[in-house]
């Protein structure tokens, strides 16, 4: 997935599913944040926003997720 956001997104999706099944989703917000970043990089802004919204709804008091969402959406590839 080096340099390939689409492949990295596939890995993030696989990791998120594994985490949900094997780890009770303990890292769901981290995976969700990575998904959002990758979706933004791919120019899929609506999907990225939805991914970040889900993370922020789950962890509204965790500032680092707001920072990640803001940075990713500001640098989102314009389709």
């Amino acid at each position: 997935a080096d340099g390939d956001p689409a492949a990295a997104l596939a890995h993030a999706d696989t990791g998120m599913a594994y985490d949900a099944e094997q780890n009770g989703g303990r890292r769901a917000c981290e995976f969700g944040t990575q998904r959002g970043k990758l979706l933004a990089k791919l120019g899929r802004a609506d999907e990225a926003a939805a991914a970040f919204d889900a993370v922020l709804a789950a962890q509204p008091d965790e500032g680092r997720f707001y920072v990640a969402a803001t940075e990713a959406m500001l640098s989102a590839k314009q389709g």
Side-chain angles (χ1 to χ4, degrees):
D2 190 31
D4 183 353
L9 180 60
H11 289 303
D13 288 340
T14 300
M16 190 171 209
Y18 179 85
D19 179 60
E21 292 171 14
Q22 303 296 322
N23 197 29
R26 289 187 197 116
R27 301 207 53 211
C29 289
E30 287 82 359
F31 281 111
T33 299
Q34 291 304 317
R35 288 189 80 255
K37 290 178 181 180
L38 292 163
L39 288 163
K41 187 172 274 199
L42 289 166
R44 294 162 57 181
D46 290 342
E47 291 173 81
F52 288 126
D53 286 347
V55 169
L56 297 174
Q59 292 287 328
D61 297 327
E62 187 61 56
R64 65 189 169 112
F65 294 126
Y66 289 92
V67 172
T70 302
E71 289 174 346
M73 295 306 290
L74 284 173
S75 65
K77 178 180 175 183
Q78 298 301 310

